[in-house]
Amino acid sequence: IYGQFSRSIEREAVSIGKTVMAFNGTSAYYERPLHTLDGIFTNPNNRWKFSRPILSDSLTYMIVDLESQYKVSRFKLYDSRYLEAEYPNLLGYNIYLSETAPNLSLIGKNKDNNTCWTKVVSAYDENRSDQSVKTDEITPLQARYVKLEIPRSRTTGESRIFQFEVFGEKADLAIAPVKSLSETVYPNPVKQGENIHLSGRGFLEVYSLQGNRIESRWLSSEINSISTAHLPPGVYLLHFNAIIVKLIII
């Protein structure tokens, strides 16, 4: 293949092509946040566009599911003036990380009541309106879910975000410390084909010891019954609400 790249490719970006789990703030169906994860940096029409929100609907955000756990260490946001100099850049934004999936029903028009988030970038640390490409370095933190939140006070008019990149390295769940939680997952060991029971709501992932994800699902009940009929006898890792549990099927 002949030619040249229009820009260098940063191989450690882990957000390109991933899932926008939820968002609020947009002007048209073709200007939604999914455009910020597609790796296209040259088309000014390829953007997430939103106007300054009103007071009664002031929470502008997008939640990205990275689809696996990563040690997240850096972010880059390509702001309005990166491709359209006549529009103002954001003054700032908040970025939050979480290992577990947020409950979307707890997010209202003005507030996110989920407690799973850890804020790693603050919108109010400085005025960043002169930065068309905003870069944030953080102490690496394990997470699967990323929330970009733009407070109403940090916008000055009609905004565009052309790309939002998340960087990091995939977390090695196979060598993560394992806790014994007989009161959370039981019976354990379990006979193949019988059900296991998990206490509490949250996002469940099942991994092999090699680190391959076998399945994932959201558990919405306080007590959950899950079949093991589809799992051959062996040892598995259950990742549930930021805790890793070793499950033995006999």
Side-chain angles (χ1 to χ4, degrees):
I1 299 175
Y2 296 91
Q4 65 183 42
F5 291 115
S6 62
R7 62 182 290 273
S8 62
I9 298 176
E10 298 182 80
R11 296 295 181 184
E12 70 269 31
V14 299
S15 52
I16 292 178
K18 298 301 172 62
T19 301
V20 176
M21 185 178 181
F23 70 94
N24 186 41
T26 189
S27 58
Y29 71 90
Y30 53 85
E31 294 175 314
R32 294 188 172 183
L34 60 90
H35 294 300
T36 69
L37 305 179
D38 60 12
I40 298 174
F41 292 81
T42 57
N43 183 356
N45 294 316
N46 196 76
R47 65 202 178 186
W48 176 25
K49 188 177 86 172
F50 53 90
S51 299
R52 191 168 192 254
I54 60 176
L55 285 172
S56 60
D57 190 9
S58 62
L59 191 60
T60 301
Y61 70 92
M62 61 179 287
I63 297 175
V64 180
D65 179 359
L66 297 176
E67 301 175 11
S68 190
Q69 297 286 337
Y70 290 89
K71 290 288 187 180
V72 177
S73 57
R74 183 159 57 101
F75 310 93
K76 289 182 77 173
L77 185 144
Y78 294 76
D79 212 336
S80 296
R81 290 179 182 165
Y82 177 71
L83 292 178
E84 295 189 273
E86 66 271 29
Y87 291 97
N89 287 331
L90 300 171
L91 278 67
Y93 45 80
N94 297 317
I95 299 178
Y96 302 82
L97 297 176
S98 175
E99 289 191 73
T100 59
N103 184 342
L104 300 183
S105 67
L106 295 179
I107 305 177
K109 292 184 176 182
N110 299 95
K111 186 178 180 181
D112 182 349
N113 290 304
N114 283 283
T115 60
C116 61
W117 297 114
T118 299
K119 182 189 284 189
V120 293
V121 177
S122 173
Y124 300 97
D125 285 346
E126 58 182 312
N127 182 339
R128 304 176 68 182
S129 59
D130 61 331
Q131 301 173 12
S132 295
V133 179
K134 297 174 170 62
T135 300
D136 297 280
E137 304 274 353
I138 66 169
T139 301
L141 182 66
Q142 182 164 310
R144 170 171 170 168
Y145 302 92
V146 184
K147 181 174 68 168
L148 172 64
E149 178 185 271
I150 301 96
R152 183 175 183 271
S153 62
R154 300 287 88 187
T155 61
T156 57
E158 192 175 88
S159 300
R160 287 118 161 86
I161 297 176
F162 294 103
Q163 289 291 299
F164 177 57
E165 294 183 303
V166 182
F167 300 88
E169 297 181 355
K170 198 165 187 178
D172 189 353
L173 294 178
I175 61 174
V178 176
K179 297 183 179 181
S180 175
L181 294 173
S182 59
E183 295 182 357
T184 299
V185 180
Y186 58 93
N188 189 13
V190 63
K191 291 183 179 179
Q192 198 267 341
E194 294 183 353
N195 291 348
I196 59 171
H197 305 282
L198 275 74
S199 301
R201 298 183 176 91
F203 196 78
L204 170 69
E205 296 172 295
V206 181
Y207 289 85
S208 69
L209 284 181
Q210 290 72 42
N212 297 317
R213 188 172 65 179
I214 298 171
E215 66 173 290
S216 60
R217 68 175 81 176
W218 174 259
L219 303 181
S220 58
S221 301
E222 288 296 338
I223 300 296
N224 303 275
S225 182
I226 298 172
S227 174
T228 64
H230 61 296
L231 297 174
V235 180
Y236 300 87
L237 297 176
L238 306 186
H239 191 218
F240 183 60
N241 286 348
I243 297 171
I244 297 175
V245 182
K246 181 184 291 182
L247 173 67
I248 301 173
I249 300 178
I250 59 177

